[in-house]
Amino acid sequence: MKKPGSGGWEGVGLLAASYHDSGRRAVERAVRVLLSGGSALDAVEQGVAEVENEPSNESVGLGGLPNWLGEVELDAGIMDGDTLRACGVAVVKRVKNPIKLARRCLDELPHALIVGDAATKLAEALGLEVVKDSRAPPEALERRKKLEREVAEASSGLTRYYSKIFRAASKVWHDTIGVIAVDAKGSVAAGTSTSGVAFKFPGRVADSAIAGAGFYADSRYGAAICTGVGEVAIRAVAAFRAVLLLSQGYGPQEAAEAVVEAAAEIAALDGERYNLGVVVATKRDVGAAALNWESFLYVYWLGGEVKVEKAPYVKLT
Ligand code: GLY
């Protein structure tokens, strides 16, 4: 096994990859960073922040749909594939760019995960942009009430009720942004950001804040980013699993498919139709696969045009 940080393979090019429609903007931004000589970490941070900055995005950044109590809570994380350092921030309120907070944590603190009010205080202390109010606009609460009415008959117990809400909410929720980047030195980085499933249980943490679940990077092998039901990505240790498979000689497409198979096993054990999307990249190639997500799009740039394609492997359960 190569030592961490042994980085640069001969002859690799720059690479950026993401998913969903919003991934195009994230990749375009990451590409601008890479072409101007920026690092993979900078490309990931700025690509993700580009989508966090869109007020109209209902599943990333402060425009995201709120938790059950009407507050917007954000999760994000970033990983440096050279040092294997990673930091996630979770249940963060009022911070405009959680990915920037995760990056500052990665660069300046020895921690791997910071949560809740302390994360917001850290953002303030670091001089990051923090808004005054974490309450979502009244229209978002109207949508929650509509959803609540739709599942009202399920109120036979809180846990059961929330699981029905969770299932129904995925119909109004489009999910995460993630970016993988490879820079001119051959360094690999990955990061993700989300406001999480709409109307989630307050305090619920997405895979997007957890290294190994929603994102993972190792400059010796490649990186992975996930989107979809975070609980499945966490239980499948999905992003780490993908990179471990790369280290064992799988290609990115094979690794993405194997992760989806592992997620499908979890879905079968639960008797649920969870969805999950996975994008995996080495320094030369990108693969993608999805569970119960028929039109899962992935976006990548390997020089030339930015390409948007449907995942070649989709498993339906
Ligand atoms: N993958 C984002 C979430 O589970 O909320």
Side-chain angles (χ1 to χ4, degrees):
M1 189 181 262
K2 291 174 261 182
K3 282 191 187 146
S6 57
W9 297 352
E10 293 300 313
V12 296
L14 305 174
L15 176 150
S18 184
Y19 41 60
H20 300 323
D21 297 330
S22 50
R24 174 183 269 280
R25 284 187 297 288
V27 164
E28 284 168 353
R29 177 81 184 138
V31 168
R32 286 201 295 278
V33 174
L34 293 172
L35 288 177
S36 61
S39 70
L41 275 172
D42 289 342
V44 167
E45 178 187 340
Q46 292 187 37
V48 170
E50 183 83 5
V51 180
E52 289 179 338
N53 287 341
E54 287 171 8
S56 59
N57 192 311
E58 292 190 332
S59 54
V60 178
L62 290 172
L65 285 167
N67 68 16
W68 188 250
L69 299 177
E71 284 194 289
V72 179
E73 286 177 346
L74 306 175
D75 301 319
I78 192 163
M79 182 155 183
D80 175 359
D82 280 358
T83 59
L84 305 184
R85 284 175 55 79
C87 192
V89 293
V91 200
V92 181
K93 292 176 192 163
R94 301 190 289 115
V95 174
K96 186 174 179 205
N97 293 115
I99 193 69
K100 293 190 180 180
L101 179 58
R103 172 73 192 275
R104 294 289 296 273
C105 168
L106 179 136
D107 286 345
E108 297 172 37
L109 295 172
H111 308 310
L113 185 61
I114 299 197
V115 305
D117 291 344
T120 306
K121 286 201 174 75
L122 177 64
E124 283 166 341
L126 292 171
L128 295 174
E129 193 170 341
V130 178
V131 301
K132 284 200 169 59
D133 196 359
S134 60
R135 306 280 312 166
E139 306 83 74
L141 287 181
E142 281 310 311
R143 288 174 69 177
R144 193 212 75 186
K145 282 186 192 142
K146 183 168 171 283
L147 194 67
E148 191 178 16
R149 284 195 293 275
E150 280 168 22
V151 294
E153 77 280 5
S155 56
S156 54
L158 189 64
T159 314
R160 215 173 131 58
Y161 187 59
Y162 265 110
S163 83
K164 289 229 172 184
I165 285 288
F166 200 82
R167 234 175 276 151
S170 65
K171 297 192 186 98
V172 294
W173 155 73
H174 190 62
D175 208 355
T176 318
I177 189 66
V179 174
I180 294 171
V182 180
D183 66 24
K185 292 184 181 149
S187 298
V188 181
T192 43
S193 182
T194 186
S195 54
V197 65
F199 317 123
K200 63 193 174 185
F201 196 97
R204 177 257 186 190
V205 177
D207 57 316
S208 320
I210 300 175
F215 62 98
Y216 197 82
D218 184 326
S219 298
R220 295 169 293 181
Y221 310 114
I225 45 174
C226 301
T227 177
V229 176
E231 283 70 8
V232 180
I234 293 168
R235 288 161 64 193
V237 202
F240 176 72
R241 185 186 290 265
V243 177
L244 182 67
L245 291 170
L246 294 180
S247 80
Q248 293 169 352
Y250 281 55
Q253 184 57 36
E254 292 169 300
E257 291 176 19
V259 169
V260 163
E261 291 298 330
E265 281 173 22
I266 290 170
L269 288 170
D270 289 2
E272 291 283 355
R273 218 172 164 274
Y274 298 130
N275 61 16
L276 186 75
V278 188
V279 175
V280 184
T282 61
K283 296 184 188 184
R284 293 192 174 86
D285 205 4
V286 182
L291 176 65
N292 297 321
W293 209 326
E294 286 181 66
S295 54
F296 179 66
L297 298 177
Y298 69 114
V299 185
Y300 62 93
W301 175 85
L302 285 158
E305 295 294 305
V306 173
K307 296 197 171 138
V308 182
E309 290 182 10
K310 264 193 188 176
Y313 181 83
V314 177
K315 185 179 178 91
L316 301 174
T317 60

